[in-house]
Amino acid sequence: MAEQKRGKFPGGFRFNIEDRVLLLSVVLIILVIFFGAIEDRFLTGSSIRSMAFQCPEIGLMGLGMAIAMMIDGINLSINDTANLSALIAGLSIVKLAPFFAGHEFLSIVIVFLVAIATGAACGALNGLLAGYIGAPPILATLATLTLYRGISVVITGGKTLTGFPKELSIIGHQVVMGIPIPFVIFLIVGILMYFVLEYTTFGFKVRMSGTNPTAAKFSGIDNRSIAMKVYILSGILGAIAGIIVMSRTNSVAYEYGTRTYILLTLLISVLGGTSPGFGNVVGVILATFILQVLSTGFHMLLLGVRGSSFFKDFSWGVLFIAILIIDHFMRREKSI
Amino acid sequence: MNEELLRVEHISKYFAGVRALDDVSFNINRGEVRGLVGENGSGKSTMIKIIAGVYEPDKGDIYINGNHYKRLTPIISIREGIQVIYQDFSLFPNLTVAENIGINRVISKGGRVVNWKEVYESAKEGLSRVGADIPLDAITGELPTADRQIIAIARALLEDARLIIMDEPTTALTQLEIQHLFKTINDLKKRGISILFVSHKLNEVKEISDSILIFRDGKKVLDQEAEELDIKTMEYYMTGRQIDTSSIAYSEPEEAPPLLKVENLTLRPCFSNVSFELKSREVLGITGLLGSGRTELALSLFGELPAESGEIWLEGKKVFIKRVQDAMEQEIGYVPEDRIKEGLFLEQSISNNLVVTIIDWLASKMGIIRNQTKLKTAEEWVSKLEIKTPSVENPANSLSGGNQQRVVLAKWLAGNPKILILNGPTVGVDVGSKAAIHELIRNLAKQGMGIILISDDIPELMQTCNRILLMRDGRIVKEFRREETNEEELHRHLVAAKN
């Protein structure tokens, strides 16, 4: 009966992706105004630039997490995929350096290709386990998380890898027309992802497979191959993030980000409005900005205060819970 | 005997300004079986929920056992002896029979430690009240639907039910199981328990009910003794229009080599040595009880459960169907049994649902979807199948059951298959949509399609098929030509197929 009503009155309140983008935009604007009003240094060029340098890596991993969540999966190994991809790329650049003397730019291209191939391979293993073997994605990617971290520790002996050609650091330190290169990469990848998810048959099948895999199967969609492609894509997004981290910090370590990044990518993905069968690149990008603003804002506000770095975690936690509660009420509104 | 159990007077209920029930009054006596029929959206479910205390009526009075209420709560309703058995029975599939039946009573007594002896004794008592014998340790989810229904009834009886409301109780049951259910209902009736039997299936309602209520558009349009009613009259009151089944124009199969030839198809233990032919312009019915192998055979032809041996020939060419994609390449479509789980993407838009099987054709070679083409295609199908929706961008779950089923059909028709396999295409669909779907099936056949219709709804088979195959224990045991048989004969063979 109730369903009939809604069918007849499509103008009634419906919580959809557009509402989410609007909600996130409002939250972002409020936060920017709030921090800008009480902290002079917040809205300066250098502060904005530093935020734009910092957020792409987590945003890219957030996109990788989001696409996995769109098929009702998850990619817990994404941060370790990023680290392992960067490590293998870093090792190859160091080993190959003698052969590329004078051709450093070529070596950068090689770094990119090696990292992306590694990320794709890591993703393929996830896809094999979650898609073809049928392991629950949360267990499969938790297992590969440990595996990839283990490999990273073994090949580096647990040490941080440094000493890359200076050309590599361009990506993480230079700007194009005033915009930091990592941010340019983030935007380009975001636009590509948006296009892939909204306008291609692959994106369509991802959404259908995520909404109802059984119906998808009966409609001729090969869920396993979709899962494989999604996890490979997720791995590649991780690898791009890994390259940015490597270039920005001029180093690679097996433990980079392992303390908080997985939770952050989950937070970004959920905050961005991702759910099985549904997802929105714009939402994920806005969510990334919100987290970065919170993190930078509180960092400035509480500079010198004891325990200030914990306040960042605290604010993310509060935000996550607030979003869960808002979602709950919006969904209730929808079902009445 | 004519003591009144429940009476509702002038009940009205509005949802967001829309009228769901309009001044409805009726009563139910002790030991009476009341049939309640109506199309989707007629207000049946709202009425059930008001009696169960889930919804508050906006106007009207409710009297139960002589007590007057303006509104009920679930607790009051249960205390007054009202129990609702919903379509899915609300059982825990992973728990044992004993746990499902007995645990409510033990929990409601309070206490923190489960007394298992008491759980088993309660369960035994519940089952004995229905007069059924189901192993108490069996896992509920592994039992046949009919047994699960018995469990739900036993649980209701343990709560000292005086009125049991059954919402579409026969949807998932086979003919034989329905007869068992009717026997159980008659036993309950003799013991003074009232039943409100809510269903789409008019012949069943007529068979089991003492008197029948018909709702349409939130109003009670008929309240009469079942004996005085015939199915045509009921259909008329339900839909507000006469459905004529006497002058059906059947499709005539083409006198040509068969479109599909199946030889000795075997998939043990589901079915073995199945052979048949399907001609172009033919509607071939396959019937049998649950577990006869009819669904598995269909899934096999569609590549979801590939056969282990045997041959499939399409237009004289031998084909190998090992996966769904193979079947689709051979232009075979399959409308699954369970439209919610297997057919629809409920949260996705109607347009996405409509184009899912042909999305690769609607896209460019690079796999880029042309949105205009997609929307246009979706709108075409919405108008072709008269799917009632204000916009193709609304989610599929905003549609009623009959319209959802049309979406599932359209989704396959969009691909213009040569062979369409329909598995229970009108289960849970209202009379109006059902007639429209039957008409559509006949028309598709006339246009040259070969159709395999799997169903145990005998009138449905008689109204659409040219031939009907009966399956039993994985084999085709008998073939009927529609002109040479009748509903009674088919019914007899179908039920006899159990043993």
Side-chain angles (χ1 to χ4, degrees):
Chain A
M1 204 55 227
E3 283 82 355
Q4 286 268 312
K5 294 286 127 43
R6 256 181 288 148
K8 282 178 192 159
F9 289 93
F13 191 92
R14 273 179 50 207
F15 182 55
N16 55 31
I17 289 295
E18 285 72 30
D19 296 331
R20 167 71 71 163
V21 168
L22 193 70
L23 173 72
L24 292 175
S25 308
V26 170
V27 170
L28 181 61
I29 291 167
I30 291 174
L31 286 175
V32 169
I33 293 173
F34 170 75
F35 285 116
I38 60 174
E39 176 59 60
D40 296 339
R41 287 165 300 168
F42 185 77
L43 277 177
T44 58
S46 73
S47 138
I48 291 171
R49 200 171 309 119
S50 93
M51 285 192 270
F53 269 116
Q54 280 168 27
C55 73
E57 55 200 54
I58 191 71
L60 287 164
M61 285 192 246
L63 283 173
M65 181 65 85
I67 186 173
M69 288 176 81
M70 277 182 77
I71 54 162
D72 206 4
I74 196 167
N75 186 359
L76 296 180
S77 68
I78 191 157
N79 186 41
D80 290 275
T81 300
N83 289 343
L84 180 61
S85 306
L87 271 174
I88 290 183
L91 276 181
S92 49
I93 201 175
V94 171
K95 295 266 190 260
L96 294 174
F99 303 99
F100 285 104
H103 299 284
E104 276 75 17
F105 270 106
L106 187 61
S107 70
I108 306 290
V109 175
I110 305 273
V111 166
F112 253 96
L113 294 179
V114 170
I116 284 171
T118 312
C122 291
L125 180 58
N126 286 336
L128 187 72
L129 293 173
Y132 286 86
I133 310 284
I138 193 163
L139 296 182
T141 58
L142 191 60
T144 56
L145 173 154
T146 322
L147 176 72
Y148 301 155
R149 193 173 300 172
I151 296 173
S152 302
V153 174
V154 169
I155 58 177
T156 59
K159 290 192 202 74
T160 301
L161 205 62
T162 52
F164 307 127
K166 63 177 187 324
E167 283 78 4
L168 184 65
S169 66
I170 292 172
I171 303 166
H173 293 276
Q174 296 298 312
V175 295
V176 198
M177 295 184 295
I179 309 168
I181 292 180
F183 198 78
V184 173
I185 296 178
F186 183 36
L187 286 187
I188 291 173
V189 171
I191 291 167
L192 280 176
M193 284 285 291
Y194 180 82
F195 180 77
V196 166
L197 288 177
E198 300 291 324
Y199 292 101
T200 67
T201 52
F202 169 69
F204 181 86
K205 288 173 185 173
V206 165
R207 278 179 277 143
M208 300 310 255
S209 173
T211 309
N212 182 350
T214 312
K217 182 179 74 182
F218 278 110
S219 305
I221 293 174
D222 187 346
N223 290 313
R224 295 179 301 181
S225 123
I226 294 290
M228 177 57 97
K229 288 174 189 159
V230 162
Y231 281 104
I232 289 178
L233 189 53
S234 182
I236 291 175
L237 288 165
I240 300 173
I243 296 166
I244 292 176
V245 172
M246 171 162 73
S247 169
R248 194 170 62 81
T249 62
N250 250 320
S251 65
V252 200
Y254 77 90
E255 57 192 350
Y256 185 84
T258 47
R259 197 175 68 81
T260 52
Y261 269 21
I262 281 304
L263 283 176
L264 275 184
T265 52
L266 273 170
L267 177 51
I268 285 174
S269 173
V270 174
L271 188 59
T274 315
S275 63
F278 295 86
N280 178 280
V281 173
V282 181
V284 172
I285 292 175
L286 285 173
T288 310
F289 295 167
I290 289 176
L291 288 195
Q292 187 62 52
V293 165
L294 276 177
S295 151
T296 307
F298 279 120
H299 179 71
M300 285 180 171
L301 273 186
L302 301 172
L303 208 61
V305 178
R306 222 164 61 90
S308 64
S309 64
F310 295 108
F311 200 76
K312 182 177 65 183
D313 292 348
F314 173 79
S315 69
W316 286 338
V318 169
L319 179 71
F320 205 161
I321 292 168
I323 289 294
L324 290 178
I325 293 170
I326 292 172
D327 268 5
H328 169 76
F329 282 105
M330 285 191 150
R331 228 173 287 129
R332 256 187 29 166
E333 194 97 5
K334 183 187 173 187
S335 67
I336 285 172
Chain B
M1 197 65 198
N2 268 348
E3 199 184 338
E4 190 175 79
L5 177 73
L6 169 94
R7 186 167 87 244
V8 296
E9 281 184 352
H10 309 295
I11 297 279
S12 293
K13 174 75 185 165
Y14 297 82
F15 288 104
V18 180
R19 193 189 57 214
L21 282 174
D22 183 14
D23 196 28
V24 175
S25 308
F26 64 89
N27 68 344
I28 300 177
N29 292 330
R30 278 187 209 287
E32 185 185 27
V33 180
R34 269 285 208 173
L36 171 57
V37 295
E39 298 195 289
N40 286 329
S42 61
K44 289 179 307 196
S45 319
T46 312
M47 188 44 103
I48 296 176
K49 285 180 179 158
I50 285 177
I51 300 175
V54 179
Y55 291 154
E56 269 176 44
D58 293 322
K59 279 187 209 130
D61 303 275
I62 305 166
Y63 300 87
I64 315 176
N65 304 310
N67 301 324
H68 174 224
Y69 297 97
K70 284 307 273 183
R71 61 189 190 87
L72 297 167
T73 65
I75 302 287
I76 296 176
S77 180
I78 290 169
R79 280 206 194 122
E80 291 282 11
I82 292 170
Q83 286 284 325
V84 184
I85 299 177
Y86 292 101
Q87 259 182 60
D88 59 359
F89 312 139
S90 311
L91 296 173
F92 301 100
N94 52 334
L95 298 187
T96 63
V97 174
E99 285 166 330
N100 264 303
I101 303 176
I103 212 136
N104 269 6
R105 182 190 268 190
V106 175
I107 287 173
S108 63
K109 276 189 179 168
R112 291 171 199 279
V113 183
V114 176
N115 181 346
W116 286 104
K117 203 174 145 217
E118 214 180 312
V119 171
Y120 274 82
E121 273 164 12
S122 302
K124 220 180 276 172
E125 190 193 327
L127 282 177
S128 74
R129 287 195 198 176
V130 206
D133 188 22
I134 300 171
L136 290 174
D137 281 320
I139 299 294
T140 308
E142 293 168 2
L143 293 171
T145 320
D147 283 354
R148 279 185 275 145
Q149 188 161 44
I150 298 286
I151 293 167
I153 296 174
R155 192 175 59 178
L157 290 178
L158 266 190
E159 301 282 333
D160 295 319
R162 278 176 282 216
L163 168 65
I164 299 181
I165 300 174
M166 297 186 178
D167 190 6
E168 298 286 351
T170 62
T171 304
L173 300 189
T174 61
Q175 292 293 340
L176 192 73
E177 289 166 341
I178 290 171
Q179 293 311 319
H180 278 297
L181 174 68
F182 284 3
K183 206 177 138 282
T184 310
I185 290 178
N186 281 324
D187 287 347
L188 294 174
K189 183 175 145 180
K190 278 186 204 127
R191 304 211 325 251
I193 293 168
S194 315
I195 309 281
L196 183 62
F197 189 95
V198 184
S199 176
H200 279 114
K201 298 187 182 170
L202 299 180
N203 51 349
E204 288 169 6
V205 174
K206 182 172 157 45
E207 185 182 338
I208 191 66
S209 306
D210 299 317
S211 61
I212 294 173
L213 286 164
I214 300 183
F215 283 12
R216 188 172 78 225
D217 295 333
K219 291 196 183 85
K220 185 179 85 173
V221 290
L222 194 84
D223 186 348
Q224 211 170 339
E225 297 296 307
E227 285 171 6
E228 302 164 6
L229 279 168
D230 60 56
I231 304 280
K232 278 228 168 64
T233 318
M234 288 165 69
E235 274 177 359
Y236 175 73
Y237 277 101
M238 218 170 127
T239 60
R241 62 183 179 274
Q242 203 85 38
I243 294 169
D244 189 5
T245 52
S246 61
S247 61
I248 293 170
Y250 292 95
S251 171
E252 278 312 310
E254 205 169 68
E255 287 310 319
L259 189 60
L260 172 77
K261 199 166 98 182
V262 173
E263 275 185 353
N264 292 319
L265 210 62
T266 300
L267 177 62
R268 263 176 277 263
C270 304
F271 57 86
S272 49
N273 294 316
V274 170
S275 302
F276 65 86
E277 289 182 357
L278 173 72
K279 291 198 158 91
S280 172
R281 296 173 195 275
E282 182 176 38
V283 184
L284 175 67
I286 297 182
T287 188
L289 299 171
L290 275 181
S292 60
R294 49 178 208 197
T295 294
E296 290 80 1
L297 174 63
L299 290 178
S300 214
L301 293 173
F302 191 57
E304 175 53 26
L305 274 180
E308 55 192 33
S309 65
E311 293 175 359
I312 301 172
W313 296 74
L314 258 173
E315 297 180 308
K317 266 194 298 223
K318 190 172 169 183
V319 294
F320 297 90
I321 296 177
K322 297 288 171 215
R323 6 175 261 154
V324 173
Q325 286 82 352
D326 296 340
M328 284 174 72
E329 222 159 87
Q330 302 296 339
E331 298 179 60
I332 299 175
Y334 174 70
V335 175
E337 214 172 0
D338 184 334
R339 69 169 168 268
I340 304 290
K341 281 197 202 126
E342 301 166 345
L344 284 172
F345 304 88
L346 281 175
E347 299 87 1
Q348 294 285 352
S349 66
I350 295 164
S351 67
N352 279 359
N353 273 282
L354 287 170
V355 301
V356 63
T357 60
I358 51 164
I359 191 70
D360 288 324
W361 305 351
L362 294 181
S364 72
K365 279 203 186 100
M366 300 285 291
I368 295 160
I369 298 169
R370 300 185 194 92
N371 252 329
Q372 283 310 313
T373 322
K374 181 183 131 186
L375 282 183
K376 228 183 88 201
T377 312
E379 268 156 16
E380 264 173 44
W381 284 103
V382 162
S383 73
K384 247 186 226 169
L385 292 197
E386 294 170 6
I387 297 165
K388 288 195 194 84
T389 176
S391 159
V392 291
E393 290 303 296
N394 280 9
N397 57 16
S398 67
L399 296 172
S400 67
N403 281 307
Q404 288 183 349
Q405 186 65 356
R406 290 176 205 213
V407 170
V408 179
L409 278 166
K411 158 179 137 181
W412 281 108
L413 298 181
N416 193 21
K418 283 185 188 136
I419 296 173
L420 187 62
I421 306 169
L422 302 150
N423 197 350
T426 61
V427 171
V429 162
D430 59 81
V431 174
S433 291
K434 196 169 174 174
I437 288 171
H438 290 165
E439 175 78 30
L440 178 73
I441 291 172
R442 291 187 297 263
N443 283 338
L444 288 168
K446 280 177 203 162
Q447 286 158 27
M449 213 179 267
I451 293 176
I452 297 177
L453 173 71
I454 296 168
S455 175
D456 60 6
D457 180 335
I458 288 167
E460 169 163 293
L461 292 164
M462 289 300 288
Q463 280 164 36
T464 48
C465 296
N466 302 102
R467 284 183 300 139
I468 298 153
L469 305 175
L470 174 68
M471 279 186 85
R472 182 190 306 167
D473 297 333
R475 285 166 197 278
I476 291 176
V477 290
K478 204 159 169 53
E479 177 180 333
F480 303 89
R481 301 198 139 274
R482 186 198 64 244
E483 306 88 354
E484 297 159 10
T485 185
N486 53 47
E487 291 191 14
E488 286 70 33
E489 188 193 1
L490 272 175
H491 186 87
R492 217 171 44 242
H493 279 96
L494 182 62
V495 175
K498 189 86 176 181
N499 297 304

